[in-house]
Amino acid sequence: MARAERYDAVVVGAGPNGLAAAIALAQAGKSVALFEANDSVGGGVCSAEVTLPGFVHDLCSSVYPLAIGSPFFRSLPLVQYGLEWIHSPAALAHPFDDATALIVERSVEATAARLGKDGDAYRKLMAPLAAQWEDLSVDILAPPRLPRHPVQLARFGLSAIQPAQRLVERRFTSTAARALFAGLAAHSMLPLEYRGSAAFGLVLGATAHALGWPIARGGAQKLADALAAYFRSLGGEIFPGRPIETLAELPSSRVVICDVTPRQLIKIARQQLSRPYVEKLAKFRYGMGAFKVDWALSAAVPWRAAECRQAATVHLGASLPEIALSERMAWSGFRSNSPFVLLVQPSLFDASRAPPGKHTLWAYCHVPNGSTFDMTEKIEAQIERFAPGFRDTILARCVAPPAELARRNANLVGGDINGGAPILSQLFLRPTRRLYATSAPGLYLCSSSTPPGGGVHGMCGYFAARRALRRMS
Ligand SMILES: Cc1cc2nc3c(=O)[nH]c(=O)nc-3n(C[C@H](O)[C@H](O)[C@H](O)COP(=O)(O)OP(=O)(O)OC[C@H]3O[C@@H](n4cnc5c(N)ncnc54)[C@H](O)[C@@H]3O)c2cc1C
């Protein structure tokens, strides 16, 4: 060390990627300080009683196929620090207007059997991906590099690069099977006619079969708290309630790793960054926003299709055209009258989320970035459509439009939950070709604005830390 530094590394932001970076550095024997703007750690992994006492709501993420499948998180002893995964019998339910529903079960066969004439096509698409998920995840949840499993990755890439709409129309014929895959692909927050949107559907489908889509017993905060407790056990220090306005506020260290998106990095590190790099960061494109609602309910959601009670996650959108239109409108700046709704009903499988007999419900739909449309009524109408009587169960609600999401967490720029649009030009090389490195030596980015992008997997943080460790060695 050239001069006395207080820490080997300082991390700004305690989202899953900031926590992962901090842990990877501490595991390598480095002294690490983690600064977080909010009073509690977790970023997009947090829960709180925001409606009524005793009702624990996941304010951002709630379902964790990518966390349970993350090569880094999987290697950590999180169970010893209070994390317990809960799997609903099915990963996903997708109801239709005729009171039927499809469900995605762990078994590809059982799922395919429900798809009638599309069963074979589903099996052909999903079975190889599910069987090879462990190998594939090593390459998919990583920055661009020489693949470890090139054959499997190439096979995945051929389907993944397609627009979801084209893949669905070529592979499936029934309205239900088409809607099911469209719902998976809509997690991309891209119009379904965009190239690359199929990738998200394939990854989520494969993880549903290979790993399940678990929730955390007691709420999302348990995952964040387990990561923080493990970090502390390695000697790491956490400073909550410390929003960093400029890097000058930080104690001296050999490296600084920021779990922030490009717009914030420009703000807090402008003096350290070169002008060309700042110009590139400024061109980074944010994606659609989310409009989130949490409810306290007097009873479980009265789904018309009984299958919906088997899955923590439920997708609401009756057909491929309906879901595709909803996503296209949000992308293009319009409000959808029939938004595609992603819904989670955790208390059906985790009694600790609500008082006895009562329930919590979580849902969001996609809206234009920064949108001020109030989607509460539209979202509730979609739930009521598949669960008549739902409105009568509402005891209280907490509504979070994009501006409220961004107020809670500065990384949610305009309500974008993925740290930037996953358009092809930003899918692999994000936010710039430098990936985790910046133009300032010793300053790194580790948020979901870096590869492999959005979702709770911590792999952005892990790879950023590895990059920083190379500099420190
Ligand atoms: C409504 C919603 C639903 C979602 N659902 C899911 C889901 O079910 N499953 C899933 O896998 N993913 C989901 N996601 C996405 C997931 O939460 C994110 O992709 C993930 O949290 C990104 O992690 P991150 O560490 O990059 O950033 P974040 O989790 O956003 O954390 C960034 C942290 O940095 C802090 N910070 C920012 N700026 C500063 C500063 N200047 N000084 C100090 N601290 C700062 C913030 O306060 C925050 O704690 C959802 C997100 C939202 C918002």
Side-chain angles (χ1 to χ4, degrees), residues 12-18 35-38 40-45 59-67 242-245 259-260 264 268 290 292 362 364 405 408-412 415 417-418 446-449 453-457 460:
V12 177
N17 284 313
F35 289 81
E36 164 56 43
N38 287 327
S40 52
V41 297
V45 183
L59 302 186
C60 297
S61 61
S62 192
V63 182
Y64 295 110
L66 297 178
R242 291 287 302 275
I244 301 303
E245 303 289 336
D259 185 6
V260 305
Q264 298 141 271
I268 65 178
K292 171 91 190 313
W362 169 115
Y364 71 91
L405 291 175
R408 292 177 187 169
N409 175 351
N411 282 29
L412 304 175
I417 70 173
N418 285 323
C446 76
S447 71
S448 58
S449 302
V456 176
H457 43 65
C460 312

Side-chain angles (χ1 to χ4, degrees), residues 4 10 29 36 67 70 100 182 225 237 250-251 276 290 294 318 337-338 340 358 364 399 433 450 458-459 473:
V10 166
E36 164 56 43
S70 156
T100 63
D225 289 349
E237 293 175 54
L250 297 173
D294 289 291
N337 278 330
S338 197
F340 172 63
K358 309 276 193 294
Y364 71 91
V399 174
R433 283 174 179 276
T450 62
M459 296 308 291
S473 61

